[in-house]
Amino acid sequence: MTIWRDFPGASTAPRTDPAAVTVGNFDGVHRGHQHVIARTRELAGSLPVIAITFEPHPLAVVAPDRAPKRLTTMRRRVELLHAAGVDEVRILDFTREMAAWSPQEFVDRVLLDQLHTHLVAVGDNFRFGRRASGDTTFLREAGERAGFAVDGLGLDGGTEPFSSTLVRRYIAEGRLREAAEVLGRPHEISGVVRKGDQRGRELGYPTANVPVDEAYAVPPDGVYAGWVVRAHGERLPAAISVGTNPTFDGVERRVESYVLDRTDLDLYGEEIRVELVDRLRGMVRYDGIEPLIAQMADDVVRTRAALGI
């Protein structure tokens, strides 16, 4: 029975040739992760570099109430890992049975039996095996016994190392520019555009609406400057509202993006990424349409300034 999840862009077959391996959740593929991958590539020489990630997050299996908000979809994570320089992505189909493996079982079943590992590079905070009892010290000792090298790496970031937890905190506080500093790019929300109330079109500001998935990290309700990225790569500047549209007594939380100067776009049914660059203001309930329209015009001006366009 395979331990790997079948997913576009990821591999599942056991390897027979040696490889360099890096292991982690890699949620967000932030600059700390990128540093580990670059170092793995440097140490690997001519060996292919494999990144192992987990689905679902291990905490979602062993302690669901403590499972963190996700920073990216798995599809985006796979894309970002390849872009960071790995040759192969492996997604461990994480189960309660796997959570019960001892650290040695993880080494034997994953690194040796499946991947023919000659080198492992991980963040120095990496933990694995039952109750997270394995660490880089154990991994080095296992490597000495089995014949593979181990390198434990810092995640950079100065006094506060880069981490997915730090990114989530910045996002929760609406500090999108700080989040981008850790990620190396703007934080983004993905989803399929669907029809909303179409009030924006009536007001002269048509929006592409994506429902908020609460499993993912979403900043506080408010208005943001950012970009809409289409599937073919086109990036469009946008004023973005996150919230329930309180002026019209909305209930559903949405990400609504007005692409600047465009009233001709038909994005319904299209999957987009919404990149959030900067928070402009909090959410406000307006008494009437006119003050709302005036505020939206000001939001557009401030969006241009925030994006430098």
Side-chain angles (χ1 to χ4, degrees):
M1 183 176 67
T2 182
I3 61 174
W4 307 111
R5 182 165 293 199
D6 191 13
F7 195 86
S11 303
T12 58
R15 292 186 57 88
T16 55
D17 297 325
V21 176
T22 182
V23 191
N25 285 307
F26 294 117
D27 190 16
V29 194
H30 55 66
R31 289 171 62 192
H33 296 143
Q34 294 164 32
H35 170 68
V36 171
I37 291 167
R39 179 59 176 162
T40 307
R41 168 64 67 191
E42 180 183 336
L43 295 170
S46 60
L47 295 176
V49 173
I50 299 172
I52 299 175
T53 187
F54 303 85
E55 179 63 17
H57 191 290
L59 278 177
V61 174
V62 301
D65 57 320
R66 294 194 289 119
K69 300 284 189 180
R70 299 176 63 137
L71 297 176
T72 60
T73 63
M74 181 53 72
R75 183 167 76 177
R76 185 63 172 146
R77 190 186 309 180
V78 170
E79 290 175 356
L80 290 168
L81 286 169
H82 281 297
V86 307
D87 298 298
E88 199 174 290
V89 177
R90 298 274 176 150
I91 304 171
L92 275 175
D93 193 4
F94 199 79
T95 62
R96 284 196 169 275
E97 179 185 4
M98 191 176 291
W101 287 356
S102 69
Q104 188 62 52
E105 283 179 290
F106 182 91
V107 169
D108 293 340
R109 296 191 185 197
V110 178
L111 300 180
L112 300 178
D113 294 349
Q114 287 283 315
L115 299 182
H116 204 50
T117 299
H118 275 210
L119 165 73
V120 179
V122 292
D124 56 14
N125 63 347
F126 177 61
R127 298 292 183 274
F128 65 105
R130 184 170 52 244
R131 296 181 180 176
S133 55
D135 56 14
T136 53
T137 299
F138 177 90
L139 199 55
R140 286 192 181 91
E141 293 170 351
E144 290 174 2
R145 294 190 295 270
F148 61 82
V150 175
D151 199 345
L153 307 169
L155 296 182
D156 283 359
T159 57
E160 188 163 12
F162 295 143
S163 70
S164 300
T165 299
L166 180 60
V167 176
R168 292 186 195 101
R169 190 179 85 209
Y170 284 150
I171 293 168
E173 295 172 356
R175 298 164 64 185
L176 276 303
R177 291 199 180 273
E178 288 96 329
E181 280 295 312
V182 182
L183 288 168
R185 65 183 187 282
H187 176 59
E188 60 196 40
I189 297 169
S190 301
V192 175
V193 178
R194 72 181 196 186
K195 284 193 175 182
D197 305 313
Q198 298 191 302
R199 290 196 185 94
R201 188 170 299 278
E202 296 170 3
L203 300 174
Y205 296 93
T207 58
N209 302 324
V210 174
V212 168
D213 185 339
E214 296 297 343
Y216 290 83
V218 177
D221 290 1
V223 175
Y224 297 81
W227 303 86
V228 167
V229 185
R230 304 184 68 180
H232 59 272
E234 183 182 18
R235 296 176 78 244
L236 302 165
I240 302 154
S241 170
V242 177
T244 59
N245 207 340
T247 298
F248 297 101
D249 298 318
V251 175
E252 181 185 46
R253 197 165 182 236
R254 304 171 183 165
V255 177
E256 303 183 63
S257 303
Y258 164 63
V259 175
L260 304 191
D261 306 321
R262 296 291 298 272
T263 60
D264 59 326
L265 285 174
D266 182 0
L267 300 177
Y268 294 133
E270 184 174 325
E271 184 165 0
I272 62 172
R273 297 200 318 267
V274 179
E275 296 181 349
L276 300 165
V277 172
D278 200 8
R279 180 176 169 88
L280 302 181
R281 63 176 176 87
M283 189 59 69
V284 178
R285 179 187 177 98
Y286 292 93
D287 295 325
I289 299 299
E290 293 307 318
L292 173 61
I293 292 175
Q295 181 62 70
M296 292 169 73
D298 183 64
D299 291 339
V300 168
V301 171
R302 296 180 64 194
T303 294
R304 293 187 195 281
L307 299 180
I309 58 175

